[in-house]
Amino acid sequence: MTRVQQEKVYEGVLYQLKSYIEENQLKPGDKLPSERELSEQLNVGRSSIREAFRAMELLGLIETRRGEGTFMRAYRPYHMVELLSNFLLNETRTKEELMTAKQMIEKEVLLIVKGKLSDHQFTEIRKILKNHPSGERHQHLFQYFFEIGDQPLLLSMWQFISGFTHTVHNIHYEDEWYEEMLKALERREALEILQLFR
């Protein structure tokens, strides 16, 4: 088999595994069938399954526990970010563009949820700000905004870009920034939201 043919088989196995995971609605913590079982179910060689597992493990999608089997993991975009950042982020311009892209997405989700937040949701926002340490609250807060705004694609983009950005920028938000953000949301003021990211 040529290298091109091998790559096509490998890509096909990855696609079949993705379909299998979706069809069976596997969640983080769920166990995958063994290499032998998947080989029989997908009608491909065990070596192809093994290679696909290796790639998925590198991406942080699955984990193999010795003596127990292979399990689904929660997708963590930061894992791949750490592997790639040293290769991709050598240029200063790229670093600045990452910060701009991160802020653009954050602005967008705040504008989306502006005017839609209930009293209960404002209470939840205040709880997030109060109960999470400063290094984590921004992540939890904006994840909540993406959920409220029903924007899963924007969330995925933001997680990926934000992960890269944090590898090259030391980002810190003061308490005052969050207070201003809350006021802008309460007043439903688009201009005040935009001014947060000056």
Side-chain angles (χ1 to χ4, degrees), residues 9-173:
V9 170
Y10 169 72
E11 287 171 10
V13 172
L14 276 176
Y15 181 80
Q16 284 180 281
L17 279 174
K18 177 178 176 290
S19 298
Y20 178 89
I21 289 165
E22 288 172 354
E23 285 167 13
N24 290 277
Q25 299 181 340
L26 297 184
K27 304 178 296 298
D30 287 349
K31 187 176 181 179
L32 283 158
S34 67
E35 288 178 9
R36 181 183 57 78
E37 290 169 325
L38 281 171
S39 173
E40 291 171 1
Q41 287 183 44
L42 304 180
N43 197 29
V44 292
R46 287 179 67 171
S47 60
S48 298
I49 298 289
R50 198 172 300 119
E51 287 298 313
F53 271 2
R54 199 169 293 148
M56 291 170 73
E57 193 157 21
L58 178 65
L59 289 166
L61 300 174
I62 61 172
E63 64 176 330
T64 302
R65 301 174 194 165
R66 190 179 296 277
E68 293 182 49
T70 304
F71 297 82
M72 295 295 300
R73 293 179 68 177
Y75 177 57
R76 297 179 307 138
Y78 303 108
H79 181 71
M80 201 57 190
V81 163
E82 290 163 7
L83 293 175
L84 297 177
S85 60
N86 289 334
F87 298 97
L88 299 180
L89 301 177
N90 293 323
E91 295 183 19
T92 302
R93 182 181 171 188
T94 307
K95 295 175 184 179
E96 294 312 312
E97 286 175 352
L98 277 170
M99 180 65 84
T100 301
K102 175 181 177 290
Q103 292 182 339
M104 283 173 65
I105 297 173
E106 290 178 354
K107 263 186 269 188
E108 187 62 29
V109 76
L110 289 177
L111 292 171
I112 287 169
V113 301
K114 173 186 67 72
K116 297 179 182 176
L117 296 168
S118 65
D119 290 342
H120 170 71
Q121 288 168 331
F122 272 114
T123 301
E124 286 300 310
I125 290 166
R126 290 186 179 92
K127 279 184 188 174
I128 291 169
L129 292 174
K130 182 182 177 183
N131 297 335
H132 288 92
S134 59
E136 297 176 12
R137 62 185 172 187
H138 200 83
Q139 176 78 15
H140 288 280
L141 181 65
F142 274 87
Q143 187 158 334
Y144 185 58
F145 286 139
F146 287 111
E147 289 169 6
I148 293 170
D150 191 25
Q151 299 293 323
L153 178 58
L154 273 184
L155 170 60
S156 296
M157 292 167 63
W158 176 77
Q159 285 178 322
F160 193 74
I161 291 170
S162 184
F164 271 118
T165 308
H166 280 277
T167 64
V168 293
H169 291 284
N170 184 19
I171 304 170
H172 177 72
Y173 295 88

Side-chain angles (χ1 to χ4, degrees), residues 103-104 106-108 110-111 114 177 180-181 184 189-198:
Q103 292 182 339
M104 283 173 65
E106 290 178 354
K107 263 186 269 188
E108 187 62 29
L110 289 177
L111 292 171
K114 173 186 67 72
W177 190 90
E180 291 300 316
M181 181 204 66
E189 283 291 338
L191 184 58
E192 290 181 20
I193 289 170
L194 296 175
Q195 287 174 339
L196 290 167
F197 297 92
R198 283 175 305 186

